[in-house]
Amino acid sequence: MGKYKPIIFLLHVALIFFSALPAWSQNNNSADTEYRPSMPNNVFTQIQIRPIKSNESSTSIQCHASGVDQSDWQHISFSELPQNQFFCLRAKINIQRETLSSNPSLLVGMLGSTDFRWDNKPLISNGLPARSFIDEDPGTIKTLVRLSDDLLNDGEHMLSATISTFKVGKELDSIGYVLAIVDEQKLANMVLLVSMLSAFFIGVLVILFVIFQLVNWLYQAEKSYQMFSVLCLFAALLLSVEQAKFWLDYPYNWHALRLSVILVLTFITSFLLPMFYVAYFRLKQVKIWVTSSLISLIIISLLDLSYDTTSVVLFFAALFWSLVINLLQIRKSGQGKAVSVLILIGIGFIIFYPEYFVEFGFAMFFIAIVITMLVALIKEMRQHKARSLKAERIKTELLRRNMQPHFLMNCLTQLMELIETKPQDALVLISALSQEFRQLTQHNEQDYVPLFDEIALCKNHIQIMSIRYQKDYQLAVVGEVEGIWVPSAILHSLVENCFTHNKISSDRTFELKVTQAGRQVNLTLITPIENNTNHQGTGSGNHFIHAKLAELNQKEAEFASYESGDNWISQISYLNINTTAN
């Protein structure tokens, strides 16, 4: 039962999350909205609207005059402004001049074209409100106007406006974001601070994108580097489009398009996040992970939710899959504990404070995730550097082992005898020795070689030993070798081990069995034993094979070597590579 605890916990988290989802959709009035700064003491109250009828003339609209008939006016909150209408708006405010800042300004954030008046005096127009979609000239998403001292006498004042909202586009939960008197200088300072932080984060993400693209191209091609790089790029794009509201005072009819772009980028980022961990941990069954993540994200995108709620749920799904992957890796190798804790914090933040996560939490939390990814990748790069240094030592060791003085001495002694007794065999031995050293030198320059070439090297060595011992040794190959690559010199080391630890006094046949299932390659080398020894399979040749597989980052590779009757069995299992990877 214990092994199912992580899955049961995740199901509980998902149940709590989706139980809270309807409440978010109904009660979270900040959906599809921008950040509302805290209201000052001088706040607008008694907000009213009245639709303007098609038969009303411009002189009879009476949006701004005081003492008009109140029967047609409806009390609303500013977030409840209607879409696709031409209407009047009125709001009252009680000014206490001594409590206002030194730079009082009217801030209006909404989607619509407006013509504002203060106590029936013209204040500011943003776009051109009209009775129809065609005639309306869209205003920008923000209106900011400095209020002069003569407008701010103590007492009650009325802000009125003629508004049209025909060009919102898609139906949104809210098109009214903020209506307040603010300190213009403080507002500018806040926008500057947010812009600087956003630009810093975006710049860091872009730099990481470029660095890891270069690392992937010029240093070491790794799927985790490529995935991290692309994730940083789309995260930078997402933050850029999200923060555009602070940098650009764009026409309000662009707002729905901006929200759609944010949703698409959130979808892509939410897909790339768990895929990074799939690549980083080199998980098997990649297609299952990709399909599961995509299906869950597509289903969420098709739900009838607001833009902001959809974005939150998409990112929740990304964290859910990332947590599943990291928990599985913890069980397997102990990796992923810190990331799992961070992801659990993020999931808790989303469940209990979704409205704050939309505006503040996403950027900060995503940066924290990126930092953990970066630390993990740096560790991986250090390990790769250590493996590269070890690889150079392995190559040197391979050359040293295959040019041992006693091996050369025995071959030269045999050669001297053959020159006198069998000159033709002497020529064959010289040619075979030359060919073996040439092949070994070429193999040392490559991590992988075609299995066909490795077999040729082994046959060449067997030919040399056949001439030395005046026996007929053969190598039989069972299975298809076409398209299979093998870590260089590992089979040669096993064949050489056989002659180092045995003196085979009769004609014998070595057998190599080759099987492949997908990318998994299984090699079984059967070598004869005549003078039974206890140390075959424990010498430097086997150490070389283990080191070679580790140096090539063959984490799933397996190597076993054992005695079976009058044969020695060596089994190697590893992942094949593409022919272009070498």
Side-chain angles (χ1 to χ4, degrees), residues 79-358:
S79 63
E80 297 172 333
L81 292 178
Q83 300 178 43
N84 301 311
Q85 285 194 27
F86 182 44
F87 58 94
C88 298
L89 177 141
R90 299 163 66 123
K92 294 182 179 180
I93 184 170
N94 187 44
I95 295 295
Q96 295 179 352
R97 187 68 182 86
E98 62 182 15
T99 62
L100 291 176
S101 63
S102 57
N103 302 292
S105 298
L106 174 67
L107 173 63
V108 182
M110 62 169 293
L111 306 182
S113 302
T114 59
D115 179 20
F116 282 103
R117 297 193 181 188
W118 185 275
D119 292 335
N120 207 10
K121 297 177 182 178
L123 185 62
I124 189 172
S125 295
N126 188 355
L128 179 64
R131 297 175 183 271
S132 67
F133 178 90
I134 297 175
D135 296 330
E136 180 185 351
D137 181 18
T140 59
I141 62 169
K142 180 185 69 178
T143 300
L144 182 65
V145 57
R146 179 72 180 274
L147 297 175
S148 58
D149 292 342
D150 60 310
L151 298 178
L152 297 173
N153 297 322
D154 287 344
E156 188 176 88
H157 297 266
M158 184 176 70
L159 176 71
S160 57
T162 305
I163 301 174
S164 62
T165 57
F166 293 106
K167 297 190 175 182
V168 172
K170 296 182 178 180
E171 189 71 21
L172 302 179
D173 283 1
S174 175
I175 62 170
Y177 305 138
V178 58
L179 175 65
I181 293 179
V182 298
D183 186 309
E184 185 175 1
Q185 187 59 49
K186 290 182 179 179
L187 178 64
N189 291 339
M190 184 197 73
V191 171
L192 179 61
L193 176 61
V194 172
S195 299
M196 290 176 63
L197 289 174
S198 301
F200 173 75
F201 290 146
I202 292 168
V204 169
L205 291 172
V206 171
I207 291 172
L208 289 175
F209 162 72
V210 173
I211 289 175
F212 277 88
Q213 280 293 322
L214 293 174
V215 168
N216 186 70
W217 293 343
L218 304 177
Y219 176 63
Q220 175 71 16
E222 288 282 352
K223 290 182 180 179
S224 57
Y225 298 165
Q226 185 72 19
M227 195 65 67
F228 179 74
S229 175
V230 175
L231 178 62
C232 287
L233 174 63
F234 278 97
L237 292 174
L238 177 58
L239 289 177
S240 298
V241 177
E242 171 62 31
Q243 298 305 310
K245 61 192 176 187
F246 291 110
W247 305 334
L248 302 174
D249 196 17
Y250 54 85
Y252 86 86
N253 58 330
W254 291 9
H255 190 71
L257 175 62
R258 171 178 163 268
L259 292 178
S260 298
V261 172
I262 289 175
L263 197 58
V264 171
L265 292 173
T266 303
F267 183 97
I268 296 173
T269 305
S270 299
F271 173 70
L272 291 174
L273 181 59
M275 291 305 102
F276 164 79
Y277 291 110
V278 171
Y280 178 71
F281 293 126
R282 293 177 173 83
L283 299 184
K284 298 179 180 178
Q285 301 174 327
V286 175
K287 291 182 180 179
I288 294 178
W289 289 109
V290 170
T291 303
S292 301
S293 299
L294 274 179
I295 289 176
S296 63
L297 295 176
I298 290 172
I299 291 174
I300 292 169
S301 300
L302 296 176
L303 295 177
D304 186 19
L305 303 173
S306 66
Y307 279 100
D308 281 352
T309 303
T310 302
S311 296
V312 170
V313 180
L314 285 173
F315 197 66
F316 177 90
L319 294 180
F320 177 85
W321 287 115
S322 299
L323 182 60
V324 170
I325 293 169
N326 277 274
L327 288 178
L328 291 175
Q329 195 63 25
I330 289 174
R331 291 190 59 190
K332 181 178 180 181
S333 65
Q335 291 179 283
K337 294 179 181 178
V339 176
S340 297
V341 172
L342 183 61
I343 292 174
L344 283 172
I345 293 173
I347 289 175
F349 198 172
I350 291 176
I351 292 175
F352 297 107
Y353 303 101
E355 66 279 7
Y356 296 107
F357 186 84
V358 171

Side-chain angles (χ1 to χ4, degrees), residues 517-540:
R519 288 186 60 203
Q520 191 76 26
V521 176
N522 300 298
L523 303 178
T524 302
L525 181 64
I526 303 174
T527 58
I529 301 176
E530 289 196 0
N531 294 328
N532 197 348
T533 59
N534 294 324
H535 61 279
Q536 184 174 355
T538 61
S540 60

Side-chain angles (χ1 to χ4, degrees), residues 384-396:
H384 184 269
K385 182 179 180 181
R387 288 196 298 267
S388 298
L389 294 174
K390 189 174 183 179
E392 294 301 321
R393 293 194 296 268
I394 291 172
K395 291 177 181 179
T396 303

Side-chain angles (χ1 to χ4, degrees), residues 307-538:
Y307 279 100
D308 281 352
T309 303
T310 302
S311 296
V312 170
V313 180
L314 285 173
F315 197 66
F316 177 90
L319 294 180
F320 177 85
W321 287 115
S322 299
L323 182 60
V324 170
I325 293 169
N326 277 274
L327 288 178
L328 291 175
Q329 195 63 25
I330 289 174
R331 291 190 59 190
K332 181 178 180 181
S333 65
Q335 291 179 283
K337 294 179 181 178
V339 176
S340 297
V341 172
L342 183 61
I343 292 174
L344 283 172
I345 293 173
I347 289 175
F349 198 172
I350 291 176
I351 292 175
F352 297 107
Y353 303 101
E355 66 279 7
Y356 296 107
F357 186 84
V358 171
E359 293 297 338
F360 307 107
F362 171 77
M364 301 302 296
F365 182 75
F366 192 82
I367 289 296
I369 285 285
V370 167
I371 291 174
T372 62
M373 291 178 173
L374 184 60
V375 170
L377 289 177
I378 290 175
K379 289 181 178 179
E380 184 176 297
M381 292 173 68
R382 287 181 176 176
Q383 292 172 356
H384 184 269
K385 182 179 180 181
R387 288 196 298 267
S388 298
L389 294 174
K390 189 174 183 179
E392 294 301 321
R393 293 194 296 268
I394 291 172
K395 291 177 181 179
T396 303
E397 173 66 15
L398 179 61
L399 278 176
R400 186 191 65 79
R401 289 181 59 252
N402 290 282
M403 297 182 69
Q404 294 176 25
H406 75 269
F407 174 76
L408 288 175
M409 185 183 303
N410 291 336
C411 287
L412 290 174
T413 301
Q414 186 68 32
L415 182 60
M416 292 173 63
E417 295 177 2
L418 291 174
I419 290 174
E420 294 181 0
T421 60
K422 297 180 180 180
Q424 191 62 36
D425 286 353
L427 291 176
V428 174
L429 180 58
I430 292 172
S431 176
L433 281 171
S434 174
Q435 181 66 17
E436 176 164 351
F437 289 133
R438 185 182 302 111
Q439 288 175 313
L440 282 172
T441 303
Q442 292 173 350
H443 284 203
N444 284 339
E445 300 300 323
Q446 303 178 75
D447 293 329
Y448 293 87
V449 295
L451 180 56
F452 181 85
D453 291 349
E454 182 74 6
I455 291 173
L457 176 61
C458 293
K459 287 183 175 180
N460 195 79
H461 189 79
I462 289 174
Q463 182 184 21
I464 292 173
M465 303 312 290
S466 295
I467 296 172
R468 275 188 58 190
Y469 295 125
Q470 294 295 293
K471 302 298 178 184
D472 183 19
Y473 304 136
Q474 298 292 331
L475 174 60
V477 179
V478 179
E480 182 60 46
V481 301
E482 186 68 28
I484 297 179
W485 291 64
V486 62
S488 59
I490 60 172
L491 290 180
H492 177 269
S493 295
L494 292 174
V495 171
E496 186 188 34
N497 258 9
C498 176
F499 290 104
T500 301
H501 300 299
N502 292 279
K503 184 176 181 180
I504 306 172
S505 58
S506 61
D507 299 341
R508 297 296 294 269
T509 298
F510 296 66
E511 185 178 2
L512 175 64
K513 295 180 180 180
V514 182
T515 60
Q516 184 175 11
R519 288 186 60 203
Q520 191 76 26
V521 176
N522 300 298
L523 303 178
T524 302
L525 181 64
I526 303 174
T527 58
I529 301 176
E530 289 196 0
N531 294 328
N532 197 348
T533 59
N534 294 324
H535 61 279
Q536 184 174 355
T538 61

